[in-house]
């Protein structure tokens, strides 16, 4: 019954917004580094500076001390990362890094490209850029309670158009929440408006009151997916199981009740939950039509195999935990988040 109860609470991201009780957070320190690079001589971009300013504004409103640099060369990027790491070590609390600009994957390593250079080869990229891993390591060395790492840098690689596309996956840990503008190995859109699709929905979600970190990024994912008609789907990775709300007001969301007396089994660490089994399921498609079916879950640690039967149709996918969410990939472009 416990498994059945958990699965019946699953909500398909594209058809149902999950409202989550958000409690007032303590006054933990919050520090962010925002980098927006647009003025590339080899392939200028339209929106990264607009994106950086929009994200910075939302974070400042959410209580973050923001360090922001735009159109930065390699030295300025390195200096900003060092300043950011020093601030995190001194203040603790929560750290957030956001980069909008060109990124490139070389032999599985992610490089964030500065402006001010004409990159002529992949060796140029490796020697004259800043690696994503170096920034993750700088944040980790501060031993903050939570580090949020965001890359809106998965656009086409202009240096090696025939090489690896998008960015490679970075492993998370219990203090690290990672989001890319699109899935690893795929490319994202710069956007025709004032912001990239990802930045637009991210700053709007950060600015919304009482959204915890999972719902903030779920709302972002849904907005991007719908606007791009499924061509771009942000990617999330995390094993962070704590609570973090960007803009807490101390009030529960409309229609939500205090769940402090809820069954303890619903509050346990998702990593300890065994979901393997076969279930009856009911749900609603994005079109509004309803369906009934059966689903079988196999589980090995935090990885899942999913088989879903709806009438004569059979769907298979793979899933993994991302914080308090279960992300199931029904193909490269259609991941679904279950809570």
């Amino acid at each position: 019954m416990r498994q059945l109860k958990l699965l019946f609470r699953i909500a398909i991201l594209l058809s149902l917004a999950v409202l989550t009780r958000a409690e007032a957070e303590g006054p933990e320190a919050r520090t962010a580094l925002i980098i927006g690079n647009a003025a590339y001589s080899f392939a200028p971009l339209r929106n990264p500076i607009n994106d950086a300013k929009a994200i910075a504004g939302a974070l400042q409103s959410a209580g973050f001390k923001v360090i922001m640099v735009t159109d930065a060369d390699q030295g300025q990027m390195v200096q900003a990362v060092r300043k950011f790491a020093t601030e995190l070590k001194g203040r603790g609390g929560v750290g957030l890094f956001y980069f909008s600009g060109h990124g490139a994957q070389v032999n599985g390593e992610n490089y964030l490209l500065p402006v001010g250079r004409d990159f002529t080869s992949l060796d140029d990229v490796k020697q004259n850029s800043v690696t994503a891993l170096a920034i993750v390591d700088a944040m980790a060395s501060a031993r903050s309670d939570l580090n949020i790492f965001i890359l809106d840098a998965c656009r086409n690689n202009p240096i090696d158009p025939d090489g690896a596309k998008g960015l490679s996956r970075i492993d998370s840990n219990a203090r690290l929440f990672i989001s890319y503008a699109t899935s690893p190995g795929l490319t994202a859109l710069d956007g025709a408006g004032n912001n990239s699709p990802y930045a637009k929905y991210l700053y709007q979600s950060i600015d919304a009151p009482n959204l915890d970190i999972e719902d903030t990024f779920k709302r972002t994912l849904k907005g991007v997916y719908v606007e791009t008609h499924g061509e771009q789907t942000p990617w999330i990775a995390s094993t962070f199981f704590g609570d973090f709300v960007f803009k807490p007001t101390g009030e529960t969301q409309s229609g939500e009740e205090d769940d402090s007396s809820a069954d303890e089994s619903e509050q346990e660490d998702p990593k300890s939950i065994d979901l393997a089994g076969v279930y009856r399921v009911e749900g609603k498609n994005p079109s509004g039509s309803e369906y009934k079916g059966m689903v079988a879950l196999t589980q090995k640690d935090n990885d899942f195999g999913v088989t879903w039967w709806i009438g004569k149709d059979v769907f298979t996918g793979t899933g993994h935990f991302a914080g308090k969410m279960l992300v199931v990939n029904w193909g490269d472009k259609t991941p679904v988040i279950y809570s």
Side-chain angles (χ1 to χ4, degrees):
M1 289 300 294
R2 173 177 153 206
Q3 290 180 338
L4 190 61
K5 182 178 179 182
L6 283 168
L7 204 66
F8 268 85
R9 296 181 65 188
I10 286 176
I12 292 183
L13 175 64
L14 299 181
S15 61
L16 180 63
V18 179
L19 293 179
T20 305
R21 178 174 182 264
E23 297 189 26
E25 297 284 326
E28 79 280 314
R30 300 178 174 196
T31 309
L33 171 59
I34 310 296
I35 298 177
N37 285 347
Y40 295 99
S41 59
F42 52 89
L45 294 170
R46 178 198 299 266
N47 287 323
I49 293 179
N50 292 338
D51 295 342
K53 291 178 178 178
I55 298 297
L59 291 174
Q60 287 173 333
S61 178
F64 279 81
K65 178 179 180 179
V66 174
I67 302 166
M68 184 173 74
V69 294
T70 57
D71 282 339
D73 61 25
Q74 185 186 29
Q76 291 169 327
M77 289 178 66
V78 170
Q79 184 179 9
V81 171
R82 288 174 178 168
K83 180 178 180 181
F84 178 46
T86 299
E87 288 282 348
L88 279 180
K89 288 179 181 178
R91 305 181 78 225
V94 176
L96 185 147
F97 174 80
Y98 171 86
F99 176 83
S100 180
H102 276 306
Q105 176 189 163
V106 182
N107 298 326
E109 181 77 77
N110 295 322
Y111 294 86
L112 309 185
L113 274 57
V115 302
R117 279 195 71 91
D118 290 325
F119 293 93
T120 59
S121 68
L122 295 182
D123 283 338
D124 270 353
V125 172
K126 291 190 287 186
Q127 295 173 13
N128 299 295
S129 300
V130 176
T131 67
L133 188 58
I135 299 169
V136 171
D137 287 345
M139 297 172 76
S141 67
R143 303 193 63 80
S144 303
D145 297 332
L146 168 64
N147 290 314
I148 304 168
F149 186 81
I150 306 170
L151 292 183
D152 191 1
C154 310
R155 299 167 173 86
N156 285 315
N157 181 353
I159 292 115
D160 185 19
D162 298 323
K165 294 184 180 299
L167 300 177
S168 62
R169 176 173 175 168
I170 298 175
D171 292 330
S172 66
N173 58 54
R175 296 184 179 184
L176 179 62
F177 190 102
I178 299 172
S179 180
Y180 289 176
T182 194
S183 302
L186 299 178
T187 54
L189 303 175
D190 191 33
N194 291 326
N195 297 105
S196 73
Y198 180 79
K200 179 174 73 173
Y201 288 102
L202 178 58
Y203 83 73
Q204 291 175 356
S205 299
I206 290 173
D207 210 35
N210 289 335
L211 283 186
D212 65 18
I213 188 169
E214 289 85 9
D215 280 343
T216 298
F217 284 91
K218 281 196 292 185
R219 182 177 289 192
T220 302
L221 190 158
K222 180 179 179 180
V224 173
Y225 183 91
V226 171
E227 179 170 316
T228 63
H229 304 288
E231 293 186 11
Q232 179 178 333
T233 305
W235 180 80
I236 300 166
S238 173
T239 52
F240 172 70
F241 296 105
D243 295 312
F244 177 75
V245 178
F246 280 95
K247 293 191 71 173
T249 66
E251 301 173 357
T252 57
Q253 293 206 24
S254 177
E256 288 293 299
E257 297 179 357
D258 189 332
D259 61 355
S260 59
S261 60
D263 189 326
E264 289 184 2
S265 65
E266 297 181 13
Q267 307 299 322
E268 67 181 298
D269 188 330
K271 290 193 295 185
S272 68
I273 295 176
D274 179 8
L275 292 178
V278 180
Y279 308 89
R280 289 193 304 269
V281 292
E282 298 179 355
K284 184 178 293 186
N285 293 307
S287 64
S289 62
E290 297 182 350
Y291 64 83
K292 294 183 180 180
M294 300 286 291
V295 66
L297 298 180
T298 59
Q299 180 175 355
K300 182 177 180 181
D301 297 326
N302 293 326
D303 295 319
F304 294 83
V306 186
T307 305
W308 202 300
W309 294 271
I310 302 175
K312 296 181 179 180
D313 296 322
V314 182
F315 306 92
T316 59
T318 57
H320 64 275
F321 275 124
K324 298 176 182 178
M325 305 175 290
L326 178 63
V327 179
V328 178
N329 294 295
W330 302 104
D332 289 339
K333 295 185 179 180
T334 55
V336 178
I337 291 180
Y338 304 99
S339 58

